[in-house]
Amino acid sequence: MSYKEELYTKWIAGTLTDDELKSLEDSGELAELQRIMDVGRQLQLPKYNHEEEFAYLINARKEKQTFSNQYSRVLIGLAAGLALFFFIRMAFTSSLEEISAPYGEVAQIALGDGSAVTLNAGSTLEYNRKQWKNSRSVSLEGEGFFAVSEGTPFVVNTNNGRIKVLGTAFNIRSWSDNLYVECYTGSVEVTSASGISDTLFQRQSINIVNNTLGAVQNIQHQKPHWSTGNSRFYKERVASVLAEIGRQFDVEIKHPNIEDRFSGAFSHKSLQAALREVCKPLNLNYHIDLATKSVTISQE
Amino acid sequence: MDYQRMDNVCKEEVYKSLFLEHAEHLRNFITYKSGDIELARDLVQEAFVKMWQNCKKVKPTKAKSYLFTIANNLFLNTVQREKVKLKFETSKSHTHDIKSPQYLMEEEEFRVRLEQAISALPEDLRIVFLMNRIDKKKYREIAELLNISTKAVEKRMSKALLALRKIHKNV
């Protein structure tokens, strides 16, 4: 601690000796310090409206409450569903496995034959464990990165089409009416729900929107961007981009119908940063409500 | 304040008096840290919602430090750091009767410079200085809320003054 700092600390604590006080006075410093303290004392932040804020608070508290009520209703529903599921499962001794990645997280699944799947946030994978040796077939809702070991054909069914491979690494994204497949090694056969197929080789991608196959594109990367903590888009519908933010950060996003397309990326680290990346180029405003875990998007 | 003797903060009157007593200081505290007053408002709300959810476990005497800890944690979790830029208002002091325009201008310039210098202070110094000056909190109370010793608060205050005094040379 410097001599000055020590002197100031003593002044603040009120433990200066008379001599020390006099030296501060004589050098003019005391007046300067006093002025800083006095002007500092006049500073204020904008008025805090206690009544209004308290009214908001009561509201936020209620919303949390109804949220947990809804939550418990969902839980009861889930419990009933689970009971039914186990009943049916016992009755038919099937062994359907369903694995989901919760919002804001990813899930890793080892399929037993050396093949592995990583599910992106909010995605679900379903497969029959007992039948696995005979038919390597899974259903995917959402997005997953597959590393398939060689063997019998490996089939992924989605609402938008089917992907068939022998042994390879690839990523599938299937949300609403959009199917996007990237192949990193080997080759994959992609068949749309309407029955049209195309084959992807190493470092190629294809986009299928509403059963219409786009051109095969070359890609540079060797694993999906989301597995390294980013989401990237090329001329994607804004609704799809916002839905991905919702899944990555576990927030509900309310937005008007937006015609624009978005090309760009956001990182999965910060919700604020992600919203800024997406909203700024599109001239959109966003408001984050932490109490209800929701985001409201508005047009300027 | 007889609510201090209650076991918890689940009673609406207790909860409300705690809100009236601490909400503004809490908002100020997060604002000093972040420079973002709207964020601070949100986090105050969130901290009080959390306290309501855990009301059975919180004693009124511990509520203040509970709220400051929660708000601080919420801030650390959500925010990505940007350069802090604080905007203040001034309470006019009516102690002197007539001031010359010259004096007023000089005063105003000094205030603007001081505000800039405060924004540029390291976070820990800025918080101590402003909690003491704006919230009129005693060093002992600041120490309690920040979980440091009173001595450390006095040192930070002195470091803040040391940094802020530099603006005098430029006026």
Side-chain angles (χ1 to χ4, degrees):
Chain A
M1 191 158 44
S2 72
Y3 171 71
K4 258 234 161 103
E5 200 185 316
E6 202 172 338
L7 211 58
Y8 287 8
T9 309
K10 280 188 184 171
W11 177 62
I12 282 157
T15 56
L16 281 178
T17 64
D18 288 348
D19 286 347
E20 286 167 337
L21 186 65
K22 194 162 183 324
S23 76
L24 266 186
E25 240 181 293
D26 291 347
S27 66
E29 278 171 79
L30 192 65
E32 291 177 13
L33 295 180
Q34 200 59 60
R35 189 175 185 199
I36 292 170
M37 292 295 255
D38 288 346
V39 176
R41 205 182 164 76
Q42 289 164 22
L43 296 178
Q44 287 176 341
L45 286 181
K47 215 174 137 50
Y48 188 77
N49 190 333
H50 285 91
E51 285 307 316
E52 195 182 297
E53 293 291 336
F54 193 71
Y56 280 139
L57 174 61
I58 296 295
N59 228 351
R61 250 170 46 180
K62 273 194 204 124
E63 271 171 31
K64 267 276 153 70
Q65 207 113 43
T66 45
F67 177 73
S68 53
N69 282 349
Q70 278 169 359
Y71 193 63
S72 57
R73 229 173 290 143
V74 171
L75 270 185
I76 292 166
L78 267 180
L82 267 181
L84 189 67
F85 173 77
F86 279 113
F87 175 75
I88 292 169
R89 190 179 144 135
M90 276 190 354
F92 297 93
T93 59
S94 116
S95 45
L96 221 51
E97 294 274 344
E98 188 187 294
I99 300 129
S100 296
Y103 278 15
E105 287 173 36
V106 300
Q108 287 185 321
I109 305 146
L111 290 170
D113 60 348
S115 300
V117 186
T118 311
L119 289 178
N120 199 353
S123 305
T124 304
L125 186 84
E126 205 181 86
Y127 71 102
N128 191 321
R129 195 158 43 87
K130 271 204 171 156
Q131 294 291 315
W132 189 248
K133 281 210 174 96
N134 306 324
S135 95
R136 298 202 294 174
S137 156
V138 301
S139 300
L140 171 73
E141 193 193 332
E143 182 161 21
F145 171 46
F146 293 79
V148 174
S149 61
E150 284 188 32
T152 55
F154 186 107
V155 177
V156 184
N157 293 300
T158 74
N159 286 338
N160 292 305
R162 200 177 67 216
I163 294 87
K164 194 168 125 188
V165 298
L166 289 170
T168 172
F170 57 101
N171 185 67
I172 303 172
R173 177 162 78 215
S174 173
W175 292 115
S176 68
D177 63 350
N178 178 214
L179 174 65
Y180 176 71
V181 182
E182 289 181 342
C183 176
Y184 310 109
T185 59
S187 65
V188 303
E189 186 188 273
V190 183
T191 309
S192 73
S194 55
I196 307 160
S197 24
D198 209 333
T199 304
L200 292 181
F201 296 96
Q202 194 164 315
R203 302 272 176 93
Q204 288 186 331
S205 72
I206 192 165
N207 199 21
I208 302 175
V209 178
N210 199 10
N211 278 320
T212 309
L213 277 69
V216 172
Q217 305 274 348
N218 290 326
I219 55 172
Q220 303 294 328
H221 44 284
Q222 297 188 35
K223 53 182 181 178
H225 293 296
W226 64 265
S227 71
T228 56
N230 294 293
S231 291
R232 273 171 193 260
F233 301 92
Y234 179 68
K235 291 188 183 165
E236 184 62 69
R237 282 168 296 185
V238 172
S240 310
V241 179
L242 293 174
E244 185 63 32
I245 292 183
R247 287 190 292 268
Q248 289 302 339
F249 296 99
D250 191 11
V251 290
E252 189 199 342
I253 300 190
K254 293 168 219 151
H255 61 87
N257 192 19
I258 299 158
E259 291 294 325
D260 291 342
R261 299 263 167 164
F262 175 77
S263 296
F266 66 80
S267 153
H268 301 165
K269 278 186 195 134
S270 147
L271 172 61
Q272 272 196 337
L275 285 168
R276 205 168 40 224
E277 290 299 330
V278 174
C279 292
K280 212 168 180 185
L282 299 167
N283 278 333
L284 299 171
N285 293 319
Y286 62 88
H287 175 77
I288 305 174
D289 185 351
L290 290 168
T292 59
K293 285 182 90 171
S294 65
V295 174
T296 311
I297 308 280
S298 55
Q299 268 159 326
E300 266 178 5
Chain B
M1 284 179 276
D2 63 338
Y3 68 79
Q4 296 283 12
R5 276 189 271 115
M6 307 284 259
D7 278 341
N8 59 47
V9 297
C10 295
K11 265 225 160 69
E12 198 68 68
E13 313 98 79
V14 178
Y15 183 78
K16 184 158 188 183
S17 22
L18 287 168
F19 181 85
L20 293 177
E21 196 173 344
H22 302 305
E24 183 168 2
H25 294 313
L26 204 55
R27 178 204 62 166
N28 292 358
F29 171 61
I30 298 295
T31 308
Y32 306 152
K33 284 179 91 81
S34 65
D36 185 344
I37 200 162
E38 288 306 313
L39 174 78
R41 264 181 72 196
D42 286 349
L43 293 190
V44 169
Q45 295 272 330
E46 214 179 324
F48 272 94
V49 169
K50 275 235 158 70
M51 186 167 86
W52 185 248
Q53 290 168 332
N54 295 316
C55 72
K56 286 196 184 116
K57 290 180 232 153
V58 181
K59 285 195 164 54
T61 45
K62 299 272 179 244
K64 184 168 67 176
S65 69
Y66 175 86
L67 288 165
F68 273 76
T69 309
I70 295 280
N72 193 31
N73 290 346
L74 289 171
F75 168 72
L76 293 175
N77 285 339
T78 52
V79 182
Q80 75 155 41
R81 307 310 178 87
E82 277 167 28
K83 212 168 179 191
V84 170
K85 209 167 179 189
L86 284 163
K87 194 94 198 73
F88 297 104
E89 294 169 0
T90 335
S91 64
K92 295 276 173 285
S93 60
H94 298 285
T95 42
H96 311 280
D97 309 42
I98 302 157
K99 289 166 181 164
S100 72
Q102 168 81 30
Y103 176 87
L104 286 174
M105 247 176 69
E106 206 193 288
E107 192 80 330
E108 175 66 17
E109 195 189 335
F110 183 82
R111 198 179 55 75
V112 170
R113 277 173 188 279
L114 185 67
E115 283 182 19
Q116 287 166 350
I118 289 171
S119 291
L121 280 179
E123 186 184 301
D124 51 345
L125 307 188
R126 182 172 63 235
I127 290 168
V128 166
F129 182 81
L130 291 175
M131 278 176 109
N132 173 254
R133 291 292 91 190
I134 294 186
D135 298 279
K136 325 284 187 241
K137 287 198 183 295
K138 303 237 182 316
Y139 301 132
R140 189 172 40 76
E141 193 184 354
I142 298 171
E144 193 191 316
L145 291 173
L146 299 182
N147 257 321
I148 55 177
S149 68
T150 308
K151 199 82 220 151
V153 173
E154 288 165 359
K155 269 188 200 166
R156 287 186 192 184
M157 193 69 187
S158 122
K159 278 195 172 138
L161 285 173
L162 211 57
L164 294 176
R165 205 176 70 89
K166 294 197 179 113
I167 63 170
H168 249 287
K169 304 217 164 63
N170 306 323
V171 172

